[in-house]
Amino acid sequence: MNTTELIAEYREFSPRINRIGARDFLLFVEDLTAVFDGFKAVDIDAWGVKRNELRVVIGPNGAGKTTLCDLVSGKTRPTTGTVFFEGDDITHALEADIALRGIGRKFQTPRVYDSLTTFENMELALPGSRQVRKFFRRSVRRDECDNILQILERVRLKDDRHTEAKHLSHGQRQWLAISMLILSSPKLLLVDEPAAGLTDLETELTAELLLELKDEHTIIVIEHDMDFVRQLDSKVTVLNEGRILAEGDMGELTANEEVIEAYLGR
Ligand SMILES: Nc1ncnc2c1ncn2[C@@H]1O[C@H](COP(=O)(O)OP(=O)(O)O)[C@@H](O)[C@H]1O
Ligand SMILES: [Mg+2]
């Protein structure tokens, strides 16, 4: 499928004109641009991700992958266009409100507190206001504690629950950051370059973890590492110079001349 056909197909599902699109697509963006000093970092006509999909977004450095996450999570305001989440227009919603609606984000550099233990980091990430928690001197409830331990077990961090985060490996910190996100049960997880700087084994475990999480969350993974992308074995969107260049499984993309030219061939 060429880019024009791809866009035409997505356009059919525009939540603006079609309730089917609003139902089927958890996330949908239309005519979305982000312009910095006259430079178009993102320029997408129409694109969406369906519920319970694991979608991989690849593209060369500077393609606009992180900026796309910024636009969806409300960190950056689009210059033009609309972002729909569950069919609702969230383009002008505040970053915190977007998070409350169910969009969770793992940044390229994991945001964990070094001097706190794995468990304490998880405690801080529990949903509900920290002020309220402190005011009522409420400690972690039994069910919350169970939930934390269950997640830590899943990411193989249970034995390290009392280890300070600064002593965790780079991979373990990535898993902790993902675990902290899962605690608030986001409907959509945005995961920016989870395999960057990981060992081969850690990369494999990260792919396994994301595939497990796919049952309960819709996930968008941004990634560079082609071995990792192959392990995820999911639909891939190729971004290039802010635009969507192609979409398909890795087999289709490795046979696509445009993609080879722009990305894979290098
Ligand atoms: N806040 C910003 N101000 C100016 N330029 C930016 C800003 N954010 C991103 N850019 C530019 O937009 C382009 C896309 O960046 P980015 O989304 O980080 O790419 P990727 O994540 O695909 O490597 C880059 O050229 C970058 O320099
Ligand atoms: Mg990036």
Side-chain angles (χ1 to χ4, degrees):
M1 207 186 302
N2 65 37
T3 316
T4 317
E5 286 165 349
L6 186 69
I7 291 161
E9 191 171 286
Y10 271 123
R11 281 276 187 213
E12 278 179 42
F13 291 101
S14 165
R16 204 194 306 282
I17 53 170
N18 187 339
R19 293 306 295 174
I20 294 172
R23 260 203 318 269
D24 283 6
F25 284 87
L26 185 65
L27 176 74
F28 202 95
V29 304
E30 272 191 296
D31 303 314
L32 192 68
T33 65
V35 183
F36 301 115
D37 302 323
F39 171 77
K40 268 191 186 173
V42 167
D43 184 6
I44 298 177
D45 292 295
W47 181 72
V49 174
K50 291 190 173 166
R51 281 171 208 278
N52 295 315
E53 234 191 272
L54 195 172
R55 178 72 65 90
V56 184
V57 178
I58 63 171
N61 247 328
K65 304 181 297 295
T66 298
T67 306
L68 176 59
C69 278
D70 291 344
L71 296 174
V72 170
S73 66
K75 184 165 178 272
T76 300
R77 293 280 154 221
T79 309
T80 63
T82 318
V83 180
F84 295 96
F85 184 63
E86 301 191 289
D88 294 334
D89 182 344
I90 59 159
T91 319
H92 302 289
L94 295 174
E95 195 175 4
D97 291 332
I98 291 175
L100 283 175
R101 272 176 183 265
I103 299 184
R105 166 151 195 209
K106 192 203 74 65
F107 288 87
Q108 259 175 272
T109 317
R111 300 192 166 173
V112 300
Y113 295 95
D114 276 339
S115 57
L116 298 182
T117 65
T118 301
F119 192 89
E120 287 165 344
N121 267 289
M122 291 292 277
E123 266 184 300
L124 270 186
L126 280 169
S129 160
R130 263 164 232 171
Q131 265 82 18
V132 171
R133 200 175 282 281
K134 217 167 155 188
F135 184 77
F136 290 106
R137 294 173 187 277
R138 188 162 82 66
S139 55
V140 180
R141 287 196 318 255
R142 184 80 238 162
D143 60 319
E144 290 173 332
C145 183
D146 289 347
N147 191 20
I148 289 177
L149 291 177
Q150 213 175 346
I151 295 172
L152 290 180
E153 178 150 40
R154 205 163 167 187
V155 300
R156 299 159 184 89
L157 277 176
K158 198 174 167 190
D159 292 343
D160 278 306
R161 61 188 178 279
H162 301 308
T163 306
E164 285 179 15
K166 58 170 168 277
H167 299 305
L168 297 175
S169 75
H170 185 54
Q172 289 175 317
R173 292 168 68 87
Q174 293 282 359
W175 302 330
L176 176 55
I178 294 172
S179 305
M180 288 163 72
L181 269 186
I182 303 168
L183 266 181
S184 52
S185 316
K187 294 170 186 154
L188 176 66
L189 270 168
L190 304 170
V191 191
D192 201 349
E193 301 209 15
L198 300 194
T199 63
D200 287 353
L201 181 63
E202 287 176 332
T203 302
E204 225 169 275
L205 289 176
T206 305
E208 260 175 47
L209 173 63
L210 290 171
L211 286 168
E212 275 177 34
L213 292 175
K214 179 171 101 150
D215 295 335
E216 285 150 54
H217 308 267
T218 306
I219 308 176
I220 299 177
V221 188
I222 290 177
E223 199 40 73
H224 251 315
D225 182 329
M226 279 304 140
D227 287 332
F228 180 70
V229 174
R230 278 195 192 88
Q231 282 165 38
L232 291 174
D233 191 24
S234 301
K235 187 165 170 182
V236 178
T237 300
V238 185
L239 212 59
N240 187 44
E241 296 176 351
R243 294 170 162 275
I244 290 173
L245 185 66
E247 213 164 75
D249 61 33
M250 276 308 277
E252 288 167 308
L253 295 181
T254 45
N256 182 319
E257 285 300 325
E258 271 184 308
V259 176
I260 294 167
E261 174 92 9
Y263 188 51
L264 296 173
R266 288 187 193 166

